[in-house]
Amino acid sequence: MRSWGVAILVGLAACQQQSKPPTIGFDGAQASGAAAVLAHGERLTHVLGCTGCHGVHLEGTCFTRHEPQYGPLYASNLSVELPAFSDTQIEDVLRKGVHPQRKTVWGMPSEIFQHLSAADMTALIAYLRSIKPVGKKLPPPQFSAQDKKDIAGGLYKPAVTGVRETKDVYPVDAGPQYALGRYIASVTCAECHGSKLEGAPGAKPGQPPNLIVAGGYTRDQFETLITTGIPVGGRKLNPMMSGVAQTRFTHLTPHERDALYAYLKARAEQQR
């Protein structure tokens, strides 16, 4: 009987860890008034990395310009393309990885955007609707021989596949008091560190590690890491993490950074 009881408890714990995060959102998600909603949506374009791929004014970029073996592949000019889409179509691109015209979307982290709260998504779309047109429409993806080889080998997948594969996969649930931090991790950190924050399989130096490493940071050390990209000991990180820290996580509020640290610390303690 005891063995069955233990098995049941383990099973219940697993279900709890895999449970869907409660309805929550970034600070400002429940803002009222058009100006406040737009301000919240504008902040999310930085936190979620929209400006990192699509440009400061969301005018689009060629993100393979320094890698001639690929593409050319472009991040769309959102300022001129989105006015032709309905709110539902914009949400489908973000949350489902489904484009209303060319259907397939590549490079969009819809596997994490699918977990955005309704309030955050509403504010994000409202802001995207408000931006003024800049520049011109950019070409659709043009896959090179190397692109096609990598796709055939499973190295790159369309966004809709990522959504399907991670639909019910979340970071471990450390308890309701850590819900905000868990939510933030699931829609930001998970983009590189994986839906469960376990990092790249067999991660080597320079690759995204299991975020259990955050358990070894004090709050002050974490603040330095998350805002400057400088880890404990001052060692050099992958340039992507440094860039994300400086251009994205600096836009988190102090309260959000507190919540993220508290969650990652609790997760680390739970997994020891």
PDB file of all heavy atoms in Angstrom, residues 53-54 60-64 72-76 102 106 138-142:
ATOM      1  N   CYS A  53      14.660  41.567 -33.422  1.00  0.00           N
ATOM      2  CA  CYS A  53      14.625  40.929 -34.746  1.00  0.00           C
ATOM      3  C   CYS A  53      14.092  41.860 -35.829  1.00  0.00           C
ATOM      4  O   CYS A  53      14.610  41.871 -36.951  1.00  0.00           O
ATOM      5  CB  CYS A  53      13.758  39.671 -34.702  1.00  0.00           C
ATOM      6  SG  CYS A  53      14.512  38.279 -33.836  1.00  0.00           S
ATOM      7  N   HIS A  54      13.053  42.626 -35.509  1.00  0.00           N
ATOM      8  CA  HIS A  54      12.371  43.429 -36.524  1.00  0.00           C
ATOM      9  C   HIS A  54      12.872  44.866 -36.616  1.00  0.00           C
ATOM     10  O   HIS A  54      12.384  45.623 -37.445  1.00  0.00           O
ATOM     11  CB  HIS A  54      10.859  43.420 -36.265  1.00  0.00           C
ATOM     12  CG  HIS A  54      10.229  42.079 -36.441  1.00  0.00           C
ATOM     13  ND1 HIS A  54       9.764  41.631 -37.665  1.00  0.00           N
ATOM     14  CD2 HIS A  54      10.005  41.071 -35.556  1.00  0.00           C
ATOM     15  CE1 HIS A  54       9.268  40.407 -37.523  1.00  0.00           C
ATOM     16  NE2 HIS A  54       9.400  40.047 -36.256  1.00  0.00           N
ATOM     17  N   GLY A  60      11.720  46.039 -39.957  1.00  0.00           N
ATOM     18  CA  GLY A  60      12.215  44.835 -40.601  1.00  0.00           C
ATOM     19  C   GLY A  60      13.725  44.846 -40.760  1.00  0.00           C
ATOM     20  O   GLY A  60      14.342  45.909 -40.858  1.00  0.00           O
ATOM     21  N   THR A  61      14.311  43.663 -40.776  1.00  0.00           N
ATOM     22  CA  THR A  61      15.761  43.541 -40.938  1.00  0.00           C
ATOM     23  C   THR A  61      16.079  42.267 -41.722  1.00  0.00           C
ATOM     24  O   THR A  61      15.258  41.354 -41.802  1.00  0.00           O
ATOM     25  CB  THR A  61      16.494  43.451 -39.587  1.00  0.00           C
ATOM     26  OG1 THR A  61      16.077  42.252 -38.907  1.00  0.00           O
ATOM     27  CG2 THR A  61      16.216  44.654 -38.713  1.00  0.00           C
ATOM     28  N   CYS A  62      17.282  42.230 -42.259  1.00  0.00           N
ATOM     29  CA  CYS A  62      17.798  40.997 -42.863  1.00  0.00           C
ATOM     30  C   CYS A  62      18.698  40.369 -41.808  1.00  0.00           C
ATOM     31  O   CYS A  62      19.792  40.875 -41.541  1.00  0.00           O
ATOM     32  CB  CYS A  62      18.575  41.291 -44.136  1.00  0.00           C
ATOM     33  SG  CYS A  62      19.332  39.801 -44.867  1.00  0.00           S
ATOM     34  N   PHE A  63      18.222  39.307 -41.168  1.00  0.00           N
ATOM     35  CA  PHE A  63      19.018  38.779 -40.062  1.00  0.00           C
ATOM     36  C   PHE A  63      20.050  37.740 -40.491  1.00  0.00           C
ATOM     37  O   PHE A  63      20.711  37.130 -39.654  1.00  0.00           O
ATOM     38  CB  PHE A  63      18.123  38.237 -38.930  1.00  0.00           C
ATOM     39  CG  PHE A  63      17.120  37.188 -39.315  1.00  0.00           C
ATOM     40  CD1 PHE A  63      17.472  35.855 -39.379  1.00  0.00           C
ATOM     41  CD2 PHE A  63      15.805  37.544 -39.574  1.00  0.00           C
ATOM     42  CE1 PHE A  63      16.542  34.891 -39.708  1.00  0.00           C
ATOM     43  CE2 PHE A  63      14.864  36.573 -39.901  1.00  0.00           C
ATOM     44  CZ  PHE A  63      15.239  35.246 -39.977  1.00  0.00           C
ATOM     45  N   THR A  64      20.212  37.579 -41.802  1.00  0.00           N
ATOM     46  CA  THR A  64      21.295  36.706 -42.283  1.00  0.00           C
ATOM     47  C   THR A  64      22.350  37.515 -43.046  1.00  0.00           C
ATOM     48  O   THR A  64      23.175  36.947 -43.757  1.00  0.00           O
ATOM     49  CB  THR A  64      20.739  35.599 -43.206  1.00  0.00           C
ATOM     50  OG1 THR A  64      20.053  36.208 -44.308  1.00  0.00           O
ATOM     51  CG2 THR A  64      19.799  34.674 -42.453  1.00  0.00           C
ATOM     52  N   PRO A  72      18.904  35.033 -48.519  1.00  0.00           N
ATOM     53  CA  PRO A  72      18.601  35.983 -47.447  1.00  0.00           C
ATOM     54  C   PRO A  72      17.245  35.727 -46.770  1.00  0.00           C
ATOM     55  O   PRO A  72      16.263  35.391 -47.434  1.00  0.00           O
ATOM     56  CB  PRO A  72      18.612  37.338 -48.154  1.00  0.00           C
ATOM     57  CG  PRO A  72      18.240  37.017 -49.572  1.00  0.00           C
ATOM     58  CD  PRO A  72      18.844  35.679 -49.851  1.00  0.00           C
ATOM     59  N   LEU A  73      17.263  35.892 -45.460  1.00  0.00           N
ATOM     60  CA  LEU A  73      16.068  35.719 -44.646  1.00  0.00           C
ATOM     61  C   LEU A  73      15.784  37.026 -43.915  1.00  0.00           C
ATOM     62  O   LEU A  73      16.697  37.638 -43.354  1.00  0.00           O
ATOM     63  CB  LEU A  73      16.269  34.585 -43.635  1.00  0.00           C
ATOM     64  CG  LEU A  73      16.638  33.223 -44.230  1.00  0.00           C
ATOM     65  CD1 LEU A  73      16.924  32.214 -43.115  1.00  0.00           C
ATOM     66  CD2 LEU A  73      15.518  32.707 -45.130  1.00  0.00           C
ATOM     67  N   TYR A  74      14.518  37.428 -43.932  1.00  0.00           N
ATOM     68  CA  TYR A  74      14.143  38.721 -43.372  1.00  0.00           C
ATOM     69  C   TYR A  74      13.144  38.587 -42.232  1.00  0.00           C
ATOM     70  O   TYR A  74      12.270  37.720 -42.246  1.00  0.00           O
ATOM     71  CB  TYR A  74      13.503  39.596 -44.457  1.00  0.00           C
ATOM     72  CG  TYR A  74      14.401  39.888 -45.635  1.00  0.00           C
ATOM     73  CD1 TYR A  74      14.432  39.032 -46.737  1.00  0.00           C
ATOM     74  CD2 TYR A  74      15.211  41.022 -45.654  1.00  0.00           C
ATOM     75  CE1 TYR A  74      15.259  39.290 -47.830  1.00  0.00           C
ATOM     76  CE2 TYR A  74      16.037  41.294 -46.749  1.00  0.00           C
ATOM     77  CZ  TYR A  74      16.055  40.421 -47.828  1.00  0.00           C
ATOM     78  OH  TYR A  74      16.867  40.681 -48.902  1.00  0.00           O
ATOM     79  N   ALA A  75      13.293  39.479 -41.265  1.00  0.00           N
ATOM     80  CA  ALA A  75      12.245  39.683 -40.267  1.00  0.00           C
ATOM     81  C   ALA A  75      11.345  40.765 -40.854  1.00  0.00           C
ATOM     82  O   ALA A  75      11.817  41.847 -41.208  1.00  0.00           O
ATOM     83  CB  ALA A  75      12.844  40.137 -38.944  1.00  0.00           C
ATOM     84  N   SER A  76      10.075  40.481 -40.975  1.00  0.00           N
ATOM     85  CA  SER A  76       9.142  41.347 -41.706  1.00  0.00           C
ATOM     86  C   SER A  76       9.121  42.791 -41.201  1.00  0.00           C
ATOM     87  O   SER A  76       9.365  43.060 -40.021  1.00  0.00           O
ATOM     88  CB  SER A  76       7.724  40.778 -41.609  1.00  0.00           C
ATOM     89  OG  SER A  76       7.667  39.483 -42.144  1.00  0.00           O
ATOM     90  N   ARG A 102       1.344  33.609 -46.412  1.00  0.00           N
ATOM     91  CA  ARG A 102       2.251  32.533 -46.816  1.00  0.00           C
ATOM     92  C   ARG A 102       2.170  31.313 -45.892  1.00  0.00           C
ATOM     93  O   ARG A 102       2.924  30.359 -46.050  1.00  0.00           O
ATOM     94  CB  ARG A 102       3.693  33.032 -46.906  1.00  0.00           C
ATOM     95  CG  ARG A 102       4.256  33.611 -45.628  1.00  0.00           C
ATOM     96  CD  ARG A 102       5.735  33.994 -45.864  1.00  0.00           C
ATOM     97  NE  ARG A 102       6.368  34.485 -44.662  1.00  0.00           N
ATOM     98  CZ  ARG A 102       6.520  35.760 -44.352  1.00  0.00           C
ATOM     99  NH1 ARG A 102       6.050  36.689 -45.163  1.00  0.00           N
ATOM    100  NH2 ARG A 102       7.134  36.125 -43.247  1.00  0.00           N
ATOM    101  N   TRP A 106       8.800  31.297 -40.169  1.00  0.00           N
ATOM    102  CA  TRP A 106      10.091  30.793 -39.713  1.00  0.00           C
ATOM    103  C   TRP A 106      10.755  31.826 -38.807  1.00  0.00           C
ATOM    104  O   TRP A 106      10.694  33.022 -39.051  1.00  0.00           O
ATOM    105  CB  TRP A 106      11.016  30.513 -40.906  1.00  0.00           C
ATOM    106  CG  TRP A 106      10.528  29.409 -41.789  1.00  0.00           C
ATOM    107  CD1 TRP A 106       9.656  29.523 -42.838  1.00  0.00           C
ATOM    108  CD2 TRP A 106      10.845  28.020 -41.686  1.00  0.00           C
ATOM    109  NE1 TRP A 106       9.423  28.305 -43.414  1.00  0.00           N
ATOM    110  CE2 TRP A 106      10.148  27.352 -42.729  1.00  0.00           C
ATOM    111  CE3 TRP A 106      11.664  27.268 -40.841  1.00  0.00           C
ATOM    112  CZ2 TRP A 106      10.239  25.979 -42.925  1.00  0.00           C
ATOM    113  CZ3 TRP A 106      11.765  25.902 -41.033  1.00  0.00           C
ATOM    114  CH2 TRP A 106      11.057  25.264 -42.072  1.00  0.00           C
ATOM    115  N   LEU A 138       9.356  43.843 -47.017  1.00  0.00           N
ATOM    116  CA  LEU A 138      10.537  43.041 -47.315  1.00  0.00           C
ATOM    117  C   LEU A 138      10.139  41.699 -47.932  1.00  0.00           C
ATOM    118  O   LEU A 138       9.012  41.231 -47.742  1.00  0.00           O
ATOM    119  CB  LEU A 138      11.345  42.811 -46.039  1.00  0.00           C
ATOM    120  CG  LEU A 138      11.923  44.080 -45.402  1.00  0.00           C
ATOM    121  CD1 LEU A 138      12.634  43.753 -44.095  1.00  0.00           C
ATOM    122  CD2 LEU A 138      12.873  44.776 -46.362  1.00  0.00           C
ATOM    123  N   PRO A 139      11.046  41.077 -48.682  1.00  0.00           N
ATOM    124  CA  PRO A 139      10.720  39.812 -49.358  1.00  0.00           C
ATOM    125  C   PRO A 139      10.456  38.679 -48.362  1.00  0.00           C
ATOM    126  O   PRO A 139      10.924  38.713 -47.221  1.00  0.00           O
ATOM    127  CB  PRO A 139      11.987  39.515 -50.179  1.00  0.00           C
ATOM    128  CG  PRO A 139      12.707  40.818 -50.279  1.00  0.00           C
ATOM    129  CD  PRO A 139      12.405  41.545 -49.010  1.00  0.00           C
ATOM    130  N   PRO A 140       9.727  37.658 -48.784  1.00  0.00           N
ATOM    131  CA  PRO A 140       9.530  36.469 -47.954  1.00  0.00           C
ATOM    132  C   PRO A 140      10.844  35.703 -47.858  1.00  0.00           C
ATOM    133  O   PRO A 140      11.814  36.016 -48.571  1.00  0.00           O
ATOM    134  CB  PRO A 140       8.471  35.665 -48.718  1.00  0.00           C
ATOM    135  CG  PRO A 140       8.649  36.095 -50.136  1.00  0.00           C
ATOM    136  CD  PRO A 140       9.020  37.547 -50.073  1.00  0.00           C
ATOM    137  N   PRO A 141      10.927  34.684 -47.001  1.00  0.00           N
ATOM    138  CA  PRO A 141      12.174  33.921 -46.864  1.00  0.00           C
ATOM    139  C   PRO A 141      12.633  33.337 -48.198  1.00  0.00           C
ATOM    140  O   PRO A 141      11.827  32.856 -48.992  1.00  0.00           O
ATOM    141  CB  PRO A 141      11.786  32.797 -45.887  1.00  0.00           C
ATOM    142  CG  PRO A 141      10.632  33.351 -45.122  1.00  0.00           C
ATOM    143  CD  PRO A 141       9.879  34.210 -46.085  1.00  0.00           C
ATOM    144  N   GLN A 142      13.923  33.408 -48.435  1.00  0.00           N
ATOM    145  CA  GLN A 142      14.530  32.819 -49.631  1.00  0.00           C
ATOM    146  C   GLN A 142      15.587  31.829 -49.155  1.00  0.00           C
ATOM    147  O   GLN A 142      16.682  32.222 -48.762  1.00  0.00           O
ATOM    148  CB  GLN A 142      15.151  33.923 -50.493  1.00  0.00           C
ATOM    149  CG  GLN A 142      14.126  34.966 -50.952  1.00  0.00           C
ATOM    150  CD  GLN A 142      14.781  36.160 -51.614  1.00  0.00           C
ATOM    151  OE1 GLN A 142      15.614  36.011 -52.504  1.00  0.00           O
ATOM    152  NE2 GLN A 142      14.420  37.363 -51.181  1.00  0.00           N
TER     153      GLN A 142
END
